[in-house]
Amino acid sequence: MSDITTKVFRESLNKIVLVQLKGGRKVRGKLSSFDQHMNLVLEDTEDVSESENVKKLGTLIVRGDNIVLLSPPPNR
Amino acid sequence: MSDITTKVFRESLNKIVLVQLKGGRKVRGKLSSFDQHMNLVLEDTEDVSESENVKKLGTLIVRGDNIVLLSPPPNR
Amino acid sequence: MSDITTKVFRESLNKIVLVQLKGGRKVRGKLSSFDQHMNLVLEDTEDVSESENVKKLGTLIVRGDNIVLLSPPPNR
Amino acid sequence: MSDITTKVFRESLNKIVLVQLKGGRKVRGKLSSFDQHMNLVLEDTEDVSESENVKKLGTLIVRGDNIVLLSPPPNR
Amino acid sequence: MSDITTKVFRESLNKIVLVQLKGGRKVRGKLSSFDQHMNLVLEDTEDVSESENVKKLGTLIVRGDNIVLLSPPPNR
Amino acid sequence: MSDITTKVFRESLNKIVLVQLKGGRKVRGKLSSFDQHMNLVLEDTEDVSESENVKKLGTLIVRGDNIVLLSPPPNR
Amino acid sequence: MSDITTKVFRESLNKIVLVQLKGGRKVRGKLSSFDQHMNLVLEDTEDVSESENVKKLGTLIVRGDNIVLLSPPPNR
């Protein structure tokens, strides 16, 4: 992960991000930490894959190579 | 990503690009930044997979290894 | 795995973690050890993929590249 | 990409190549540039996956790891 | 494979391990050797994917990148 | 690709080889060059996936990571 | 491939091995050479995927990353 991508992640720290995983799953939580492989630690995570059936997941480590898209918070 | 590919990305900065992902999904947005792994930051992104059902996605980080094709703007 | 991700794993040692694998399988066990590839050794592991049919698996080595998500214990 | 493969690509520059992608998709365009990862920039690209339904794609960056086969021009 | 994972493998040498492979296949045999890529040599191996139809496989080399889970012997 | 594998490829140069690709496709052509990633350049290539429907493909670059099996000529 | 795995391969040279590939295909032949990526050269190879329909394949190069399991000869 280069400096410029790192910067966007750093600005998203302690803010809510939406993460879309391979296979279609989506989780949303507060970005607590990340590393250069895009491994993430999310707090207060919810599985929002099905909007009518949101599931609480608590703290979660996401392995970076499963990530397709990540939406940082609107106003970083 | 080599110098020559980097050059095409650099010329596309702040312009609208169309990104086709593995699995058939397509997103379109303003290329805000990129790195050597082809990780992208897109602004004002839309999911244009279904032309009759475009969805607003806002700012988006695209993990490079999910990208199949990228269309730079017509007149760079 | 960077320092910050390592820290979360270290705080989870000897505690119960839930591991979600590629393909949808879920195992839960006491994190006995881990390495920089996210290979894990779990003790007293249960396969909790089907909540109505939990299977005892005992000690288990999980190869890191199969991991999608990992839930550390609630109060590390 | 070794010297010998690079030579075939270099001889194909500014000529029409046919690229077959993982999943069966085929695109054809003028090879404008390439790098050592086989990332390509194609100009005046057409999606020729369905011969009865050719679609204009314009300029296109192809991420190298999606490529299966590439047909260089007949007389390089 | 780090020191700590290596230690669990070393303690399992000459003992029966159960190996679960990508795609759901399971083989069980005596761990005769292993290397840092998790490539294994198993002796007296049985394919135990179907419990009612166990097949003798004899000595087997398992390529490490196909492994999902490995159960070391209960009392190492 | 090690020395010993390279030797078999070198002995096959300018001879007809059969290449079996991931997904079941088979192409046959004269091996014109290869590199250490097993990227191949084939001349006078035919798609022989369906024996009753052989298709002429001409010169072809095969990206090495799509190759499963390669049959060198009978008498190298 | 480490020393210990290499040793098993070396002891299998010029003997019949059974190779199980990703996707379920099985080939059997005399191990003529191998390299550190587990690329193999097999002689007098047969496709034994279907026991009632064995096909002669002659000499074959197997790209190592397609291998799941390999059975060395019973008495090395």
Side-chain angles (χ1 to χ4, degrees):
Chain A
M1 210 158 87
S2 69
D3 287 0
I4 201 152
T5 312
T6 299
K7 184 171 167 287
V8 178
F9 274 89
R10 195 167 297 144
E11 291 172 350
S12 301
L13 276 174
N14 297 313
K15 295 184 182 140
I16 303 295
V17 297
L18 174 69
V19 184
Q20 307 195 35
L21 301 170
K22 287 180 185 169
R25 197 165 173 188
K26 298 180 197 178
V27 295
R28 188 170 52 195
K30 194 176 69 172
L31 183 63
S32 168
S33 75
F34 64 93
D35 66 23
Q36 77 275 20
H37 305 293
M38 231 185 254
N39 295 322
L40 310 179
V41 181
L42 301 177
E43 308 279 351
D44 301 325
T45 318
E46 293 174 319
D47 184 326
V48 295
S49 309
E50 303 166 40
S51 59
E52 71 285 4
N53 183 17
V54 171
K55 289 171 215 144
K56 301 271 179 194
L57 298 175
T59 301
L60 208 61
I61 295 169
V62 181
R63 205 178 137 96
D65 58 4
N66 298 290
I67 295 175
V68 179
L69 300 171
L70 185 143
S71 305
N75 302 301
R76 299 194 297 280
Chain B
M1 210 157 87
S2 69
D3 287 0
I4 202 152
T5 312
T6 299
K7 183 171 168 288
V8 179
F9 274 89
R10 195 167 297 143
E11 290 172 351
S12 302
L13 277 174
N14 296 314
K15 296 183 182 141
I16 303 295
V17 298
L18 174 68
V19 184
Q20 307 195 34
L21 302 170
K22 287 179 186 169
R25 198 165 172 187
K26 299 179 195 178
V27 295
R28 188 170 52 196
K30 194 176 69 171
L31 183 64
S32 169
S33 75
F34 64 93
D35 66 23
Q36 77 275 21
H37 305 292
M38 231 184 253
N39 295 322
L40 310 177
V41 181
L42 302 176
E43 307 278 352
D44 300 324
T45 318
E46 293 174 320
D47 185 325
V48 295
S49 309
E50 303 167 40
S51 58
E52 70 286 5
N53 184 15
V54 171
K55 288 170 215 146
K56 301 272 180 195
L57 297 175
T59 301
L60 208 61
I61 295 168
V62 181
R63 205 178 137 96
D65 58 4
N66 298 291
I67 296 175
V68 179
L69 300 171
L70 184 143
S71 305
N75 302 301
R76 299 193 299 279
Chain C
M1 211 158 86
S2 69
D3 287 0
I4 201 153
T5 312
T6 298
K7 184 171 167 287
V8 179
F9 274 89
R10 195 167 297 144
E11 291 171 351
S12 301
L13 276 174
N14 297 312
K15 295 185 183 139
I16 303 296
V17 298
L18 175 69
V19 183
Q20 307 196 35
L21 302 170
K22 287 179 185 169
R25 198 165 173 187
K26 298 179 196 179
V27 295
R28 188 172 52 196
K30 194 175 68 171
L31 183 64
S32 169
S33 75
F34 65 93
D35 66 23
Q36 77 275 20
H37 305 292
M38 232 186 254
N39 295 323
L40 310 178
V41 182
L42 301 177
E43 308 278 352
D44 302 324
T45 319
E46 293 174 319
D47 184 326
V48 295
S49 308
E50 303 167 40
S51 58
E52 71 286 3
N53 183 17
V54 171
K55 289 171 214 145
K56 301 270 180 196
L57 298 174
T59 301
L60 208 60
I61 295 168
V62 181
R63 206 178 137 96
D65 58 4
N66 298 290
I67 296 175
V68 180
L69 300 172
L70 184 143
S71 305
N75 300 301
R76 300 194 298 280
Chain D
M1 212 157 86
S2 69
D3 286 1
I4 202 152
T5 311
T6 299
K7 184 172 168 289
V8 179
F9 275 89
R10 196 168 296 143
E11 290 171 352
S12 302
L13 276 175
N14 297 313
K15 295 184 183 140
I16 304 296
V17 298
L18 174 68
V19 184
Q20 307 195 34
L21 301 171
K22 287 179 185 169
R25 198 165 173 187
K26 299 178 196 179
V27 296
R28 188 171 52 195
K30 194 175 69 171
L31 183 63
S32 169
S33 74
F34 64 93
D35 66 23
Q36 76 274 20
H37 305 293
M38 231 184 253
N39 295 323
L40 311 177
V41 181
L42 302 176
E43 306 279 351
D44 301 324
T45 318
E46 293 174 320
D47 185 326
V48 295
S49 309
E50 304 167 38
S51 58
E52 71 286 4
N53 184 15
V54 170
K55 287 169 216 148
K56 302 272 180 196
L57 298 175
T59 300
L60 208 60
I61 294 169
V62 181
R63 205 178 139 97
D65 59 3
N66 298 291
I67 296 175
V68 179
L69 301 171
L70 184 143
S71 305
N75 302 299
R76 299 192 299 278
Chain E
M1 212 158 85
S2 69
D3 287 0
I4 201 151
T5 312
T6 299
K7 184 171 168 287
V8 179
F9 274 89
R10 196 167 296 143
E11 292 171 351
S12 302
L13 276 174
N14 297 312
K15 296 187 181 135
I16 304 295
V17 298
L18 174 69
V19 184
Q20 307 195 35
L21 301 170
K22 286 180 186 168
R25 198 166 173 188
K26 298 179 196 179
V27 295
R28 188 172 52 197
K30 195 175 69 172
L31 182 64
S32 169
S33 74
F34 64 92
D35 67 22
Q36 76 276 19
H37 305 293
M38 232 186 255
N39 295 322
L40 310 178
V41 182
L42 300 177
E43 307 279 351
D44 302 323
T45 318
E46 293 174 319
D47 185 325
V48 295
S49 308
E50 304 167 38
S51 58
E52 71 286 2
N53 183 17
V54 171
K55 289 170 214 146
K56 301 270 179 197
L57 298 174
T59 301
L60 208 61
I61 295 168
V62 181
R63 206 178 137 96
D65 58 4
N66 298 290
I67 296 175
V68 180
L69 300 172
L70 184 143
S71 305
N75 301 301
R76 301 193 296 280
Chain F
M1 211 158 85
S2 69
D3 286 1
I4 202 152
T5 312
T6 299
K7 184 172 167 287
V8 179
F9 274 89
R10 197 168 295 142
E11 290 171 354
S12 302
L13 276 175
N14 296 314
K15 297 186 181 136
I16 304 296
V17 298
L18 175 68
V19 184
Q20 306 195 33
L21 301 171
K22 286 179 186 170
R25 198 166 174 187
K26 299 179 195 179
V27 296
R28 189 170 51 195
K30 194 175 69 171
L31 183 63
S32 169
S33 74
F34 64 93
D35 66 23
Q36 76 274 21
H37 305 293
M38 232 185 254
N39 296 322
L40 310 177
V41 181
L42 302 176
E43 307 279 352
D44 301 325
T45 318
E46 293 174 320
D47 185 325
V48 296
S49 309
E50 303 167 38
S51 58
E52 70 286 3
N53 184 15
V54 171
K55 288 170 215 146
K56 302 270 180 198
L57 298 174
T59 300
L60 208 61
I61 295 169
V62 181
R63 205 178 138 96
D65 58 3
N66 298 290
I67 296 176
V68 180
L69 300 171
L70 184 143
S71 305
N75 302 299
R76 301 193 297 278
Chain G
M1 211 158 85
S2 69
D3 287 0
I4 202 152
T5 311
T6 299
K7 185 172 167 287
V8 179
F9 274 90
R10 196 168 296 142
E11 291 171 352
S12 302
L13 276 174
N14 297 313
K15 296 186 181 136
I16 304 296
V17 298
L18 174 69
V19 184
Q20 306 195 34
L21 301 170
K22 286 180 186 168
R25 197 166 174 189
K26 298 178 196 180
V27 296
R28 189 171 52 197
K30 195 175 70 172
L31 182 63
S32 169
S33 75
F34 65 92
D35 66 22
Q36 77 275 18
H37 304 294
M38 233 185 253
N39 295 323
L40 310 178
V41 182
L42 301 177
E43 307 278 351
D44 302 324
T45 317
E46 293 174 319
D47 185 325
V48 296
S49 309
E50 304 167 38
S51 58
E52 70 286 1
N53 184 15
V54 171
K55 289 170 214 146
K56 301 270 180 197
L57 298 175
T59 301
L60 208 61
I61 295 168
V62 181
R63 206 178 137 96
D65 59 3
N66 297 290
I67 296 175
V68 180
L69 299 172
L70 184 144
S71 305
N75 302 301
R76 301 194 296 279

